[in-house]
Amino acid sequence: MEGVERLLANNRAWAARITAEEPGFFAALSRQQSPRYLWIGCADSRVPANEIVGLQPGELFVHRNVANIVVHTDLNCLSVIQYAVDVLAVQHIIVCGHYGCGGIAAALGRRTLGLIDNWLRHAQDVAQKHAAQLAAVAAGEERARRLCELNVIEQVVNVAQTTIVQQAWERGQDLAVHGWIYALSDGLVRDLHVRVSRGTDLAAVAAAAIAALR
């Protein structure tokens, strides 16, 4: 079994490189964080949030879980959203899923994996809600890709409906919620064109994004 010593060595090399490139970086970083973005993404190790959008530490506040799901009873996720919105005053919340998501594949195939089955029930609910559209797509990879997209759109709706975001909009805070999806195959992020902000007709925007899926 490979030990963790390599990770510690990598850390020292990384810190030395950053310090050489930008002296004072860590001193400034330790004094404050002022990100403009909250990223809600999948826990998949192949989707490193900062790296794929080219941001440095301190520029992106991040929450990750299996299949990038936002549940109104998940105090972990809600606490992150509340801190990001009310304390850090982020201007953008990005829900980013990814093609090839194992959680989505498990939910679509109704595979039994153990405790996580309870969490993936939320993704199965998305599949049931959009059963007709999924049935119109060829079974297999294409259907899984479509559910990845639909799941992102539904989670954007869930974020926008939280009391945290609703109250932020009520007090006039500049805040928008976006839905993106990342392709492992080429490293590119695709905008699913579901963007909501204060005064947006949430249902109409979500419906238009779903109708535009190809």
Side-chain angles (χ1 to χ4, degrees):
M1 177 182 296
E2 185 178 6
V4 298
E5 291 78 10
R6 180 172 63 90
L7 305 186
L8 295 172
N10 288 349
N11 168 255
R12 288 189 289 271
W14 172 77
R17 177 175 58 81
I18 295 296
T19 300
E21 294 174 354
E22 188 176 346
F25 173 83
F26 291 110
L29 185 65
S30 66
R31 287 193 292 269
Q32 68 173 355
Q33 66 168 332
S34 54
R36 295 176 56 199
Y37 314 96
L38 166 61
W39 175 283
I40 300 176
C42 184
D44 194 301
S45 62
R46 300 168 295 176
V47 190
N50 286 68
E51 291 184 32
I52 65 177
V53 290
L55 293 181
Q56 293 294 321
E59 296 183 315
L60 189 69
F61 202 58
V62 178
H63 174 78
R64 296 170 69 177
N65 63 53
V66 175
N68 44 272
I69 290 171
V70 177
V71 184
H72 297 295
T73 54
D74 180 2
L75 296 184
N76 185 355
C77 183
L78 293 179
S79 295
V80 172
I81 295 173
Q82 188 271 328
Y83 189 83
V85 172
D86 294 349
V87 180
L88 298 176
V90 298
Q91 297 176 337
H92 303 275
I93 300 175
I94 300 162
V95 178
C96 187
H98 68 97
Y99 297 122
C101 179
I104 292 297
L108 187 61
R110 295 186 172 275
R111 296 203 303 271
T112 299
L113 299 174
L115 179 64
I116 197 174
D117 297 343
N118 300 280
W119 180 253
L120 294 178
R121 176 73 252 181
H122 301 294
Q124 290 175 354
D125 290 343
V126 174
Q128 288 181 350
K129 180 177 179 179
H130 299 285
Q133 183 171 129
L134 289 171
V137 180
E141 183 178 349
E142 285 305 308
R143 189 170 294 178
R145 287 171 64 89
R146 181 57 50 85
L147 183 54
C148 289
E149 296 165 344
L150 291 168
N151 183 58
V152 167
I153 294 170
E154 290 294 335
Q155 304 318 315
V156 167
V157 171
N158 287 345
V159 171
Q161 289 178 333
T162 62
T163 57
I164 303 156
V165 171
Q166 289 291 317
Q167 289 168 4
W169 285 338
E170 287 173 6
R171 60 179 178 261
Q173 188 167 335
D174 185 15
L175 178 65
V177 187
H178 312 259
W180 294 355
I181 195 155
Y182 174 70
L184 296 168
S185 59
D186 60 14
L188 296 178
V189 173
R190 174 188 173 196
D191 187 349
L192 292 176
H193 302 293
V194 53
R195 178 189 185 279
V196 293
S197 56
R198 183 162 51 101
T200 298
D201 186 333
L202 178 58
V205 170
I210 291 169
L213 293 177
R214 295 288 183 268

